[in-house]
Amino acid sequence: MVDIISIEKPGQHEFKIDFNSIQKIVFDLNCSGVRLDITSKQKITNSNLSVKLEVNHYQPDTHSKIIVKNVLKASRLELIGKISLPPGVVGSTTDFRCDSLLTDLGSAVKTVPAMNIGENKVKASHGVAVAQFNQEHVFYLMSRGLSKKQAENLLVRSFLR
Amino acid sequence: MSVKEQARIVGAEELSRLIGISQRVVKKISLAKGEPDWLLRFRLEALGFFSKMPLPDWGADLSRLTLSRIVSYLKTTPGSVRAWDQVPKSIRTTFERLGVPEAERKFLAGVGAQFESESVYQRLNEDLVNQGVTFCSLDEAVKLYPQVVKDYLGTIVSSSDNKFAALNSALWSGGSFVYVPDDVEVELPVQAYFRINSKNFGQFERTLIIAEPRARVHYIEGCTAPTYSEQSIHAAVVEVVAKESSKIRYTTIQNWSNNVYNLVTKRALAQKGSTVEWIDGNIGSMVTMKYPCVILAGKGARADILSLAVAGQGQEQDAGAKVIHLAPNTSANIVSKSISRDGGIATYRGLVKVEKEALGSKVSVNCDALLLDNYSKANTWPDIQVKNNRTSLAHEATVGQIDSDKIFYLMSRGISEIEAISLIVNGFIDDFSKELPMEYAVELNRLIQLEMEGSVG
């Protein structure tokens, strides 16, 4: 199943997507002045997911910002991101963030934030981070009387905020 | 007739030039070199892999690569010598122009020079020889230390790894063999210089570096070729073994001419507590596909990979880095810089794989790309896989152009536009050039400056 979303009107466009329910999603930015914000924050439990996310900038002055946050528990996630800025899309910008929190040893994450850039008057960046619970944070919360589980739940909530 | 007798007969007629890739060519090379049976079998097996494997369906464009008529072996001198004045004059002049003998006098512990298929010069400081360090061509090592070569050859990069590793395994000639015994520290770098001088030529250099426990060595590789309209290919395989607590640094300054396909497989095995550093500069060649790899197999092993790619007109630099974490508490640091101009294509293709057993690993990846005009391309393809929850990983990448404010500022101080651009570019690659020995850093900055001339920001 592939969702193709074509954006034809300038201005702010916000999308919230959940990796638990999609396999491939494509955003085509067909109009100058588009600001696309994609946020995807999810807990993934007991699943094996493979997601493709594509953003194609087809016009100058198009902007995309993608924030992905995953909390994995007994799960595997493969995320292939593909962002293209072909020649001519002057003044466009893109930023792709993908942070994953692995809560147990059985989880694994594979991220490929690919970019194809053929225009120099653009700004493009991506960042990927993979981490586990900060043991000092867990310890601090537990010293305040929270159980380990409560402490971890609180940290998951703050991570997904 | 035994293989050795056959070799004597073929050797007598003095092999100098072979064309194409076939069993006959492989056998001729092996016999002329007087190789043991196991090595001939190794070559023939690799040839089998080569003919079965397809060209990679990813990465740089290899559709115009023709291997059928390539000169696969070319010998220009009777053998390798230990003094420059014994090197034939025409070849000596080439290396003198490249400044190799001068660099050797000034700041190198040892130098090897390869011209076409064979090594023409090899020398190492007396002190190091006495400490048991070996630096020679791999061909020589097969004769002097057959068991060591047999134990390690093809163990890090197997001949079925990829099509060009198979090709190299079948046809290899020359390359370096570096062996550093326990606790020996080689303070000054050793350098190997590779030169392709004829057209339509295939250079299949094979390098094996072994550092025993607590040894240290810095190996530098330089590559050049004159420009012809016909393509040449440099398909090298480099295998590095870093044993417990050793440290190996491998620096490459690749400046092939724009008719060379540079398809190289480089891989290191890092054992407990060791450090492997790849400093990989790709400035020349028409097409480069090279992803220096470190397998962190022992606890606490460390990988440092610094890569620079400069893609100009008609060039495609498909470079990157691979790190595979197999053991706990291993760490990796990857920094990649690329510059694309005049229609060049620079790609960062990286792999970071943290296996389940590699608890407590740390990874940091940074790749920055600079696009100097709007018809060049920069691509990134970082593949990041983490399979345990005791790892911290951060990856950052940016692509952009030179900030026009910075150019304006420098120009307001009386610097011309081109000077300003090359100053900013030199600043951009500073992370890379500061890791080079002084003389090379100066040379690199000058080279970049020359490359930038005529390119408008």
Side-chain angles (χ1 to χ4, degrees), chain A residues 97 102 108-112 114-117 124-130 132, chain B residues 371 377-382 384 386 388-389 391 393 395-399 401:
Chain A
R97 300 281 128 190
L102 304 185
V109 62
K110 167 177 167 152
T111 323
V112 184
M115 287 183 168
N116 293 307
I117 293 161
S125 56
H126 65 231
V128 176
V130 181
Q132 64 276 3
Chain B
L371 279 165
K377 284 194 172 75
N379 302 319
T380 63
W381 185 269
I384 299 157
V386 179
N388 72 58
N389 72 331
T391 292
L393 178 146
H395 169 108
E396 283 294 329
T398 57
V399 182
Q401 59 177 335

PDB file of all heavy atoms in Angstrom, chain A residues 97 102 108-112 114-117 124-130 132, chain B residues 371 377-382 384 386 388-389 391 393 395-399 401:
ATOM      1  N   ARG A  97      14.993  14.427  11.112  1.00  0.00           N
ATOM      2  CA  ARG A  97      15.495  13.947  12.415  1.00  0.00           C
ATOM      3  C   ARG A  97      14.865  12.594  12.691  1.00  0.00           C
ATOM      4  O   ARG A  97      13.654  12.438  12.510  1.00  0.00           O
ATOM      5  CB  ARG A  97      15.083  14.883  13.555  1.00  0.00           C
ATOM      6  CG  ARG A  97      15.564  16.306  13.445  1.00  0.00           C
ATOM      7  CD  ARG A  97      17.006  16.421  13.864  1.00  0.00           C
ATOM      8  NE  ARG A  97      17.734  17.116  12.813  1.00  0.00           N
ATOM      9  CZ  ARG A  97      19.049  17.219  12.771  1.00  0.00           C
ATOM     10  NH1 ARG A  97      19.798  16.660  13.708  1.00  0.00           N
ATOM     11  NH2 ARG A  97      19.632  17.832  11.779  1.00  0.00           N
ATOM     12  N   LEU A 102      15.630   2.465  22.325  1.00  0.00           N
ATOM     13  CA  LEU A 102      15.472   1.017  22.402  1.00  0.00           C
ATOM     14  C   LEU A 102      15.324   0.645  23.867  1.00  0.00           C
ATOM     15  O   LEU A 102      16.224   0.886  24.665  1.00  0.00           O
ATOM     16  CB  LEU A 102      16.699   0.314  21.803  1.00  0.00           C
ATOM     17  CG  LEU A 102      17.065   0.672  20.369  1.00  0.00           C
ATOM     18  CD1 LEU A 102      18.227  -0.192  19.882  1.00  0.00           C
ATOM     19  CD2 LEU A 102      15.881   0.493  19.442  1.00  0.00           C
ATOM     20  N   ALA A 108      15.632  -3.783  17.615  1.00  0.00           N
ATOM     21  CA  ALA A 108      16.668  -3.371  16.683  1.00  0.00           C
ATOM     22  C   ALA A 108      16.094  -2.317  15.754  1.00  0.00           C
ATOM     23  O   ALA A 108      14.895  -2.330  15.447  1.00  0.00           O
ATOM     24  CB  ALA A 108      17.165  -4.558  15.877  1.00  0.00           C
ATOM     25  N   VAL A 109      16.935  -1.398  15.313  1.00  0.00           N
ATOM     26  CA  VAL A 109      16.460  -0.356  14.406  1.00  0.00           C
ATOM     27  C   VAL A 109      17.458  -0.173  13.278  1.00  0.00           C
ATOM     28  O   VAL A 109      18.667  -0.265  13.463  1.00  0.00           O
ATOM     29  CB  VAL A 109      16.193   0.967  15.163  1.00  0.00           C
ATOM     30  CG1 VAL A 109      17.450   1.515  15.795  1.00  0.00           C
ATOM     31  CG2 VAL A 109      15.563   2.009  14.261  1.00  0.00           C
ATOM     32  N   LYS A 110      16.929   0.005  12.074  1.00  0.00           N
ATOM     33  CA  LYS A 110      17.782   0.289  10.916  1.00  0.00           C
ATOM     34  C   LYS A 110      17.243   1.543  10.265  1.00  0.00           C
ATOM     35  O   LYS A 110      16.057   1.619   9.941  1.00  0.00           O
ATOM     36  CB  LYS A 110      17.732  -0.885   9.940  1.00  0.00           C
ATOM     37  CG  LYS A 110      18.333  -0.572   8.583  1.00  0.00           C
ATOM     38  CD  LYS A 110      18.327  -1.773   7.667  1.00  0.00           C
ATOM     39  CE  LYS A 110      18.627  -1.297   6.244  1.00  0.00           C
ATOM     40  NZ  LYS A 110      19.272  -2.292   5.433  1.00  0.00           N
ATOM     41  N   THR A 111      18.066   2.543  10.126  1.00  0.00           N
ATOM     42  CA  THR A 111      17.631   3.810   9.540  1.00  0.00           C
ATOM     43  C   THR A 111      18.510   4.145   8.352  1.00  0.00           C
ATOM     44  O   THR A 111      19.735   4.103   8.462  1.00  0.00           O
ATOM     45  CB  THR A 111      17.763   4.964  10.557  1.00  0.00           C
ATOM     46  OG1 THR A 111      17.434   4.479  11.827  1.00  0.00           O
ATOM     47  CG2 THR A 111      16.882   6.111  10.196  1.00  0.00           C
ATOM     48  N   VAL A 112      17.921   4.464   7.238  1.00  0.00           N
ATOM     49  CA  VAL A 112      18.697   4.923   6.078  1.00  0.00           C
ATOM     50  C   VAL A 112      18.142   6.271   5.635  1.00  0.00           C
ATOM     51  O   VAL A 112      17.176   6.330   4.883  1.00  0.00           O
ATOM     52  CB  VAL A 112      18.625   3.912   4.899  1.00  0.00           C
ATOM     53  CG1 VAL A 112      19.505   4.368   3.748  1.00  0.00           C
ATOM     54  CG2 VAL A 112      19.033   2.528   5.351  1.00  0.00           C
ATOM     55  N   ALA A 114      18.464   8.702   3.308  1.00  0.00           N
ATOM     56  CA  ALA A 114      19.179   9.015   2.060  1.00  0.00           C
ATOM     57  C   ALA A 114      18.749  10.370   1.517  1.00  0.00           C
ATOM     58  O   ALA A 114      17.605  10.795   1.674  1.00  0.00           O
ATOM     59  CB  ALA A 114      18.917   7.933   1.031  1.00  0.00           C
ATOM     60  N   MET A 115      19.703  11.040   0.887  1.00  0.00           N
ATOM     61  CA  MET A 115      19.401  12.334   0.265  1.00  0.00           C
ATOM     62  C   MET A 115      20.034  12.398  -1.106  1.00  0.00           C
ATOM     63  O   MET A 115      21.179  11.992  -1.276  1.00  0.00           O
ATOM     64  CB  MET A 115      19.989  13.465   1.098  1.00  0.00           C
ATOM     65  CG  MET A 115      19.243  13.708   2.374  1.00  0.00           C
ATOM     66  SD  MET A 115      19.958  15.116   3.227  1.00  0.00           S
ATOM     67  CE  MET A 115      18.711  15.378   4.443  1.00  0.00           C
ATOM     68  N   ASN A 116      19.283  12.893  -2.080  1.00  0.00           N
ATOM     69  CA  ASN A 116      19.844  13.134  -3.412  1.00  0.00           C
ATOM     70  C   ASN A 116      19.725  14.613  -3.693  1.00  0.00           C
ATOM     71  O   ASN A 116      18.616  15.131  -3.787  1.00  0.00           O
ATOM     72  CB  ASN A 116      19.080  12.340  -4.473  1.00  0.00           C
ATOM     73  CG  ASN A 116      19.295  10.865  -4.307  1.00  0.00           C
ATOM     74  OD1 ASN A 116      20.422  10.402  -4.246  1.00  0.00           O
ATOM     75  ND2 ASN A 116      18.215  10.131  -4.200  1.00  0.00           N
ATOM     76  N   ILE A 117      20.846  15.264  -3.833  1.00  0.00           N
ATOM     77  CA  ILE A 117      20.811  16.715  -3.952  1.00  0.00           C
ATOM     78  C   ILE A 117      21.530  17.176  -5.199  1.00  0.00           C
ATOM     79  O   ILE A 117      22.704  16.860  -5.416  1.00  0.00           O
ATOM     80  CB  ILE A 117      21.387  17.355  -2.677  1.00  0.00           C
ATOM     81  CG1 ILE A 117      20.420  17.049  -1.534  1.00  0.00           C
ATOM     82  CG2 ILE A 117      21.531  18.867  -2.836  1.00  0.00           C
ATOM     83  CD1 ILE A 117      20.980  17.185  -0.199  1.00  0.00           C
ATOM     84  N   ALA A 124      20.291  21.364   3.400  1.00  0.00           N
ATOM     85  CA  ALA A 124      19.758  20.039   3.696  1.00  0.00           C
ATOM     86  C   ALA A 124      20.532  19.446   4.859  1.00  0.00           C
ATOM     87  O   ALA A 124      21.747  19.582   4.925  1.00  0.00           O
ATOM     88  CB  ALA A 124      19.887  19.135   2.478  1.00  0.00           C
ATOM     89  N   SER A 125      19.835  18.813   5.766  1.00  0.00           N
ATOM     90  CA  SER A 125      20.541  18.167   6.860  1.00  0.00           C
ATOM     91  C   SER A 125      19.722  16.998   7.372  1.00  0.00           C
ATOM     92  O   SER A 125      18.510  16.946   7.186  1.00  0.00           O
ATOM     93  CB  SER A 125      20.829  19.156   7.984  1.00  0.00           C
ATOM     94  OG  SER A 125      19.629  19.746   8.405  1.00  0.00           O
ATOM     95  N   HIS A 126      20.416  16.042   7.946  1.00  0.00           N
ATOM     96  CA  HIS A 126      19.681  15.020   8.658  1.00  0.00           C
ATOM     97  C   HIS A 126      20.454  14.585   9.888  1.00  0.00           C
ATOM     98  O   HIS A 126      21.657  14.763   9.975  1.00  0.00           O
ATOM     99  CB  HIS A 126      19.297  13.838   7.759  1.00  0.00           C
ATOM    100  CG  HIS A 126      20.453  13.049   7.242  1.00  0.00           C
ATOM    101  ND1 HIS A 126      20.604  12.765   5.909  1.00  0.00           N
ATOM    102  CD2 HIS A 126      21.509  12.495   7.848  1.00  0.00           C
ATOM    103  CE1 HIS A 126      21.701  12.055   5.745  1.00  0.00           C
ATOM    104  NE2 HIS A 126      22.270  11.884   6.904  1.00  0.00           N
ATOM    105  N   GLY A 127      19.743  14.031  10.819  1.00  0.00           N
ATOM    106  CA  GLY A 127      20.374  13.549  12.039  1.00  0.00           C
ATOM    107  C   GLY A 127      19.682  12.283  12.502  1.00  0.00           C
ATOM    108  O   GLY A 127      18.471  12.158  12.401  1.00  0.00           O
ATOM    109  N   VAL A 128      20.491  11.365  12.969  1.00  0.00           N
ATOM    110  CA  VAL A 128      19.936  10.118  13.485  1.00  0.00           C
ATOM    111  C   VAL A 128      20.538   9.876  14.858  1.00  0.00           C
ATOM    112  O   VAL A 128      21.736  10.055  15.043  1.00  0.00           O
ATOM    113  CB  VAL A 128      20.295   8.928  12.565  1.00  0.00           C
ATOM    114  CG1 VAL A 128      19.808   7.618  13.165  1.00  0.00           C
ATOM    115  CG2 VAL A 128      19.714   9.125  11.179  1.00  0.00           C
ATOM    116  N   ALA A 129      19.731   9.491  15.804  1.00  0.00           N
ATOM    117  CA  ALA A 129      20.280   9.129  17.112  1.00  0.00           C
ATOM    118  C   ALA A 129      19.589   7.870  17.597  1.00  0.00           C
ATOM    119  O   ALA A 129      18.391   7.678  17.377  1.00  0.00           O
ATOM    120  CB  ALA A 129      20.095  10.265  18.102  1.00  0.00           C
ATOM    121  N   VAL A 130      20.374   7.005  18.192  1.00  0.00           N
ATOM    122  CA  VAL A 130      19.813   5.796  18.791  1.00  0.00           C
ATOM    123  C   VAL A 130      20.337   5.730  20.220  1.00  0.00           C
ATOM    124  O   VAL A 130      21.526   5.895  20.444  1.00  0.00           O
ATOM    125  CB  VAL A 130      20.253   4.527  18.024  1.00  0.00           C
ATOM    126  CG1 VAL A 130      19.637   3.290  18.662  1.00  0.00           C
ATOM    127  CG2 VAL A 130      19.872   4.615  16.558  1.00  0.00           C
ATOM    128  N   GLN A 132      19.408   4.394  24.608  1.00  0.00           N
ATOM    129  CA  GLN A 132      18.580   3.646  25.552  1.00  0.00           C
ATOM    130  C   GLN A 132      18.236   4.598  26.696  1.00  0.00           C
ATOM    131  O   GLN A 132      18.604   5.771  26.667  1.00  0.00           O
ATOM    132  CB  GLN A 132      19.315   2.412  26.062  1.00  0.00           C
ATOM    133  CG  GLN A 132      20.564   2.693  26.877  1.00  0.00           C
ATOM    134  CD  GLN A 132      21.799   2.911  26.025  1.00  0.00           C
ATOM    135  OE1 GLN A 132      21.729   2.917  24.801  1.00  0.00           O
ATOM    136  NE2 GLN A 132      22.915   3.114  26.665  1.00  0.00           N
TER     137      GLN A 132
ATOM    138  N   LEU B 371      28.316  22.026  -2.011  1.00  0.00           N
ATOM    139  CA  LEU B 371      28.020  22.079  -3.442  1.00  0.00           C
ATOM    140  C   LEU B 371      28.436  23.447  -3.945  1.00  0.00           C
ATOM    141  O   LEU B 371      27.914  24.450  -3.474  1.00  0.00           O
ATOM    142  CB  LEU B 371      26.520  21.888  -3.662  1.00  0.00           C
ATOM    143  CG  LEU B 371      25.994  20.459  -3.633  1.00  0.00           C
ATOM    144  CD1 LEU B 371      24.486  20.469  -3.505  1.00  0.00           C
ATOM    145  CD2 LEU B 371      26.395  19.724  -4.887  1.00  0.00           C
ATOM    146  N   LYS B 377      26.248  17.417  -7.961  1.00  0.00           N
ATOM    147  CA  LYS B 377      25.324  16.646  -7.125  1.00  0.00           C
ATOM    148  C   LYS B 377      26.001  16.133  -5.864  1.00  0.00           C
ATOM    149  O   LYS B 377      27.185  15.818  -5.874  1.00  0.00           O
ATOM    150  CB  LYS B 377      24.810  15.433  -7.901  1.00  0.00           C
ATOM    151  CG  LYS B 377      23.760  15.763  -8.935  1.00  0.00           C
ATOM    152  CD  LYS B 377      23.079  14.478  -9.389  1.00  0.00           C
ATOM    153  CE  LYS B 377      21.891  14.772 -10.281  1.00  0.00           C
ATOM    154  NZ  LYS B 377      22.322  15.171 -11.625  1.00  0.00           N
ATOM    155  N   ALA B 378      25.225  16.066  -4.786  1.00  0.00           N
ATOM    156  CA  ALA B 378      25.725  15.442  -3.559  1.00  0.00           C
ATOM    157  C   ALA B 378      24.640  14.497  -3.059  1.00  0.00           C
ATOM    158  O   ALA B 378      23.477  14.870  -2.969  1.00  0.00           O
ATOM    159  CB  ALA B 378      26.012  16.491  -2.497  1.00  0.00           C
ATOM    160  N   ASN B 379      25.015  13.262  -2.810  1.00  0.00           N
ATOM    161  CA  ASN B 379      24.053  12.294  -2.310  1.00  0.00           C
ATOM    162  C   ASN B 379      24.563  11.705  -1.007  1.00  0.00           C
ATOM    163  O   ASN B 379      25.765  11.590  -0.802  1.00  0.00           O
ATOM    164  CB  ASN B 379      23.876  11.143  -3.301  1.00  0.00           C
ATOM    165  CG  ASN B 379      23.434  11.640  -4.661  1.00  0.00           C
ATOM    166  OD1 ASN B 379      22.597  12.528  -4.761  1.00  0.00           O
ATOM    167  ND2 ASN B 379      24.016  11.088  -5.700  1.00  0.00           N
ATOM    168  N   THR B 380      23.629  11.328  -0.141  1.00  0.00           N
ATOM    169  CA  THR B 380      24.065  10.573   1.034  1.00  0.00           C
ATOM    170  C   THR B 380      23.213   9.332   1.131  1.00  0.00           C
ATOM    171  O   THR B 380      22.023   9.361   0.846  1.00  0.00           O
ATOM    172  CB  THR B 380      23.925  11.368   2.348  1.00  0.00           C
ATOM    173  OG1 THR B 380      22.543  11.652   2.546  1.00  0.00           O
ATOM    174  CG2 THR B 380      24.706  12.641   2.339  1.00  0.00           C
ATOM    175  N   TRP B 381      23.823   8.248   1.490  1.00  0.00           N
ATOM    176  CA  TRP B 381      23.112   6.990   1.685  1.00  0.00           C
ATOM    177  C   TRP B 381      23.699   6.323   2.925  1.00  0.00           C
ATOM    178  O   TRP B 381      24.496   5.405   2.834  1.00  0.00           O
ATOM    179  CB  TRP B 381      23.243   6.105   0.441  1.00  0.00           C
ATOM    180  CG  TRP B 381      22.425   4.859   0.564  1.00  0.00           C
ATOM    181  CD1 TRP B 381      22.841   3.668   1.071  1.00  0.00           C
ATOM    182  CD2 TRP B 381      21.048   4.683   0.215  1.00  0.00           C
ATOM    183  NE1 TRP B 381      21.797   2.766   1.058  1.00  0.00           N
ATOM    184  CE2 TRP B 381      20.691   3.356   0.543  1.00  0.00           C
ATOM    185  CE3 TRP B 381      20.069   5.518  -0.326  1.00  0.00           C
ATOM    186  CZ2 TRP B 381      19.412   2.847   0.331  1.00  0.00           C
ATOM    187  CZ3 TRP B 381      18.801   5.005  -0.540  1.00  0.00           C
ATOM    188  CH2 TRP B 381      18.485   3.688  -0.220  1.00  0.00           C
ATOM    189  N   PRO B 382      23.336   6.812   4.101  1.00  0.00           N
ATOM    190  CA  PRO B 382      23.881   6.207   5.316  1.00  0.00           C
ATOM    191  C   PRO B 382      22.944   5.114   5.816  1.00  0.00           C
ATOM    192  O   PRO B 382      21.768   5.341   6.016  1.00  0.00           O
ATOM    193  CB  PRO B 382      23.912   7.375   6.307  1.00  0.00           C
ATOM    194  CG  PRO B 382      22.911   8.347   5.781  1.00  0.00           C
ATOM    195  CD  PRO B 382      22.509   7.980   4.394  1.00  0.00           C
ATOM    196  N   ILE B 384      22.129   2.733   8.840  1.00  0.00           N
ATOM    197  CA  ILE B 384      22.453   2.668  10.267  1.00  0.00           C
ATOM    198  C   ILE B 384      21.616   1.571  10.915  1.00  0.00           C
ATOM    199  O   ILE B 384      20.401   1.611  10.852  1.00  0.00           O
ATOM    200  CB  ILE B 384      22.154   4.030  10.931  1.00  0.00           C
ATOM    201  CG1 ILE B 384      23.017   5.106  10.275  1.00  0.00           C
ATOM    202  CG2 ILE B 384      22.412   3.979  12.422  1.00  0.00           C
ATOM    203  CD1 ILE B 384      22.443   6.479  10.428  1.00  0.00           C
ATOM    204  N   VAL B 386      21.112  -0.743  14.431  1.00  0.00           N
ATOM    205  CA  VAL B 386      21.479  -0.981  15.825  1.00  0.00           C
ATOM    206  C   VAL B 386      20.648  -2.136  16.348  1.00  0.00           C
ATOM    207  O   VAL B 386      19.419  -2.119  16.229  1.00  0.00           O
ATOM    208  CB  VAL B 386      21.240   0.273  16.686  1.00  0.00           C
ATOM    209  CG1 VAL B 386      21.614   0.000  18.132  1.00  0.00           C
ATOM    210  CG2 VAL B 386      22.040   1.443  16.149  1.00  0.00           C
ATOM    211  N   ASN B 388      21.074  -3.613  19.571  1.00  0.00           N
ATOM    212  CA  ASN B 388      20.968  -3.786  21.021  1.00  0.00           C
ATOM    213  C   ASN B 388      20.644  -2.449  21.658  1.00  0.00           C
ATOM    214  O   ASN B 388      20.751  -1.397  21.020  1.00  0.00           O
ATOM    215  CB  ASN B 388      22.261  -4.386  21.598  1.00  0.00           C
ATOM    216  CG  ASN B 388      23.403  -3.406  21.611  1.00  0.00           C
ATOM    217  OD1 ASN B 388      23.314  -2.336  22.212  1.00  0.00           O
ATOM    218  ND2 ASN B 388      24.489  -3.741  20.938  1.00  0.00           N
ATOM    219  N   ASN B 389      20.216  -2.492  22.926  1.00  0.00           N
ATOM    220  CA  ASN B 389      19.802  -1.238  23.554  1.00  0.00           C
ATOM    221  C   ASN B 389      20.836  -0.713  24.548  1.00  0.00           C
ATOM    222  O   ASN B 389      20.505  -0.047  25.497  1.00  0.00           O
ATOM    223  CB  ASN B 389      18.434  -1.388  24.224  1.00  0.00           C
ATOM    224  CG  ASN B 389      18.523  -2.218  25.479  1.00  0.00           C
ATOM    225  OD1 ASN B 389      19.389  -3.080  25.576  1.00  0.00           O
ATOM    226  ND2 ASN B 389      17.659  -1.955  26.437  1.00  0.00           N
ATOM    227  N   THR B 391      23.613   0.898  23.258  1.00  0.00           N
ATOM    228  CA  THR B 391      24.485   1.579  22.305  1.00  0.00           C
ATOM    229  C   THR B 391      24.062   3.027  22.207  1.00  0.00           C
ATOM    230  O   THR B 391      22.868   3.325  22.243  1.00  0.00           O
ATOM    231  CB  THR B 391      24.333   0.921  20.927  1.00  0.00           C
ATOM    232  OG1 THR B 391      24.868  -0.385  21.000  1.00  0.00           O
ATOM    233  CG2 THR B 391      25.059   1.695  19.837  1.00  0.00           C
ATOM    234  N   LEU B 393      24.284   6.172  19.619  1.00  0.00           N
ATOM    235  CA  LEU B 393      24.651   6.470  18.247  1.00  0.00           C
ATOM    236  C   LEU B 393      24.135   7.840  17.859  1.00  0.00           C
ATOM    237  O   LEU B 393      22.998   8.196  18.176  1.00  0.00           O
ATOM    238  CB  LEU B 393      24.043   5.411  17.325  1.00  0.00           C
ATOM    239  CG  LEU B 393      24.292   5.586  15.827  1.00  0.00           C
ATOM    240  CD1 LEU B 393      24.425   4.236  15.167  1.00  0.00           C
ATOM    241  CD2 LEU B 393      23.184   6.371  15.153  1.00  0.00           C
ATOM    242  N   HIS B 395      24.191  10.504  14.399  1.00  0.00           N
ATOM    243  CA  HIS B 395      24.584  10.704  13.002  1.00  0.00           C
ATOM    244  C   HIS B 395      24.094  12.084  12.593  1.00  0.00           C
ATOM    245  O   HIS B 395      22.944  12.424  12.810  1.00  0.00           O
ATOM    246  CB  HIS B 395      23.934   9.613  12.142  1.00  0.00           C
ATOM    247  CG  HIS B 395      24.037   9.859  10.673  1.00  0.00           C
ATOM    248  ND1 HIS B 395      24.859   9.119   9.875  1.00  0.00           N
ATOM    249  CD2 HIS B 395      23.453  10.754   9.871  1.00  0.00           C
ATOM    250  CE1 HIS B 395      24.764   9.571   8.628  1.00  0.00           C
ATOM    251  NE2 HIS B 395      23.912  10.559   8.611  1.00  0.00           N
ATOM    252  N   GLU B 396      24.968  12.874  11.990  1.00  0.00           N
ATOM    253  CA  GLU B 396      24.567  14.202  11.540  1.00  0.00           C
ATOM    254  C   GLU B 396      25.052  14.414  10.123  1.00  0.00           C
ATOM    255  O   GLU B 396      26.176  14.038   9.787  1.00  0.00           O
ATOM    256  CB  GLU B 396      25.202  15.286  12.426  1.00  0.00           C
ATOM    257  CG  GLU B 396      24.540  15.463  13.778  1.00  0.00           C
ATOM    258  CD  GLU B 396      23.125  15.989  13.694  1.00  0.00           C
ATOM    259  OE1 GLU B 396      22.817  16.754  12.760  1.00  0.00           O
ATOM    260  OE2 GLU B 396      22.311  15.610  14.546  1.00  0.00           O
ATOM    261  N   ALA B 397      24.241  15.000   9.301  1.00  0.00           N
ATOM    262  CA  ALA B 397      24.688  15.292   7.944  1.00  0.00           C
ATOM    263  C   ALA B 397      24.137  16.627   7.502  1.00  0.00           C
ATOM    264  O   ALA B 397      23.017  16.994   7.849  1.00  0.00           O
ATOM    265  CB  ALA B 397      24.213  14.206   6.994  1.00  0.00           C
ATOM    266  N   THR B 398      24.942  17.369   6.762  1.00  0.00           N
ATOM    267  CA  THR B 398      24.443  18.615   6.198  1.00  0.00           C
ATOM    268  C   THR B 398      24.920  18.753   4.759  1.00  0.00           C
ATOM    269  O   THR B 398      25.979  18.250   4.396  1.00  0.00           O
ATOM    270  CB  THR B 398      24.963  19.859   6.958  1.00  0.00           C
ATOM    271  OG1 THR B 398      26.392  19.812   6.937  1.00  0.00           O
ATOM    272  CG2 THR B 398      24.478  19.914   8.379  1.00  0.00           C
ATOM    273  N   VAL B 399      24.108  19.409   3.959  1.00  0.00           N
ATOM    274  CA  VAL B 399      24.496  19.705   2.582  1.00  0.00           C
ATOM    275  C   VAL B 399      24.206  21.179   2.355  1.00  0.00           C
ATOM    276  O   VAL B 399      23.162  21.671   2.753  1.00  0.00           O
ATOM    277  CB  VAL B 399      23.672  18.870   1.570  1.00  0.00           C
ATOM    278  CG1 VAL B 399      24.117  19.159   0.151  1.00  0.00           C
ATOM    279  CG2 VAL B 399      23.792  17.392   1.868  1.00  0.00           C
ATOM    280  N   GLN B 401      25.766  25.187   0.371  1.00  0.00           N
ATOM    281  CA  GLN B 401      26.727  25.899  -0.457  1.00  0.00           C
ATOM    282  C   GLN B 401      27.601  26.769   0.444  1.00  0.00           C
ATOM    283  O   GLN B 401      27.388  26.839   1.647  1.00  0.00           O
ATOM    284  CB  GLN B 401      25.986  26.755  -1.473  1.00  0.00           C
ATOM    285  CG  GLN B 401      25.066  27.757  -0.787  1.00  0.00           C
ATOM    286  CD  GLN B 401      24.378  28.673  -1.756  1.00  0.00           C
ATOM    287  OE1 GLN B 401      24.860  28.899  -2.846  1.00  0.00           O
ATOM    288  NE2 GLN B 401      23.252  29.223  -1.348  1.00  0.00           N
TER     289      GLN B 401
END
